[in-house]
Amino acid sequence: MRARKKATNTSLQYLLTYAEAAERYACSQNTVKKMAQQADAVVHLGKSARIIATKLDNYLCEIAG
């Protein structure tokens, strides 16, 4: 049986995984990776990568005009 996916409120989180960011911004994980790299919002913690949500939010507002 599959484990249930717990609902998280990503608007309160400072660091997001690629999957959480993809869900938050309603796009694919590859698109999120590209946007986060362009925004310089990627932080590596050991072997895992996290996205700084505020940096990515500001970048998206900036390019949206």
Side-chain angles (χ1 to χ4, degrees), residues 1 4 6 8-9 12-16 19-20 25-26 31 34 44 47-48 60-61 64:
M1 202 186 283
R4 283 190 178 176
K6 63 179 180 178
T8 57
N9 189 356
L12 301 175
Q13 291 178 313
Y14 182 71
L15 296 175
L16 302 171
E20 290 170 341
Y25 299 111
T31 302
K34 289 176 188 176
H44 293 279
K47 292 183 179 180
S48 66
L60 291 174
C61 288

Side-chain angles (χ1 to χ4, degrees), residues 29-39:
Q29 288 187 25
N30 285 336
T31 302
V32 167
K33 285 179 187 180
K34 289 176 188 176
M35 290 189 304
Q37 288 172 348
Q38 291 172 350

Side-chain angles (χ1 to χ4, degrees), residues 16-19 21-22 25 27-44 49-57 59-60 63:
L16 302 171
T17 63
Y18 288 124
Y25 299 111
C27 59
S28 71
Q29 288 187 25
N30 285 336
T31 302
V32 167
K33 285 179 187 180
K34 289 176 188 176
M35 290 189 304
Q37 288 172 348
Q38 291 172 350
D40 195 30
V42 180
V43 175
H44 293 279
R50 297 289 188 264
I51 298 170
I52 302 171
T54 53
K55 263 190 166 180
L56 188 55
D57 286 340
Y59 173 75
L60 291 174
I63 64 171

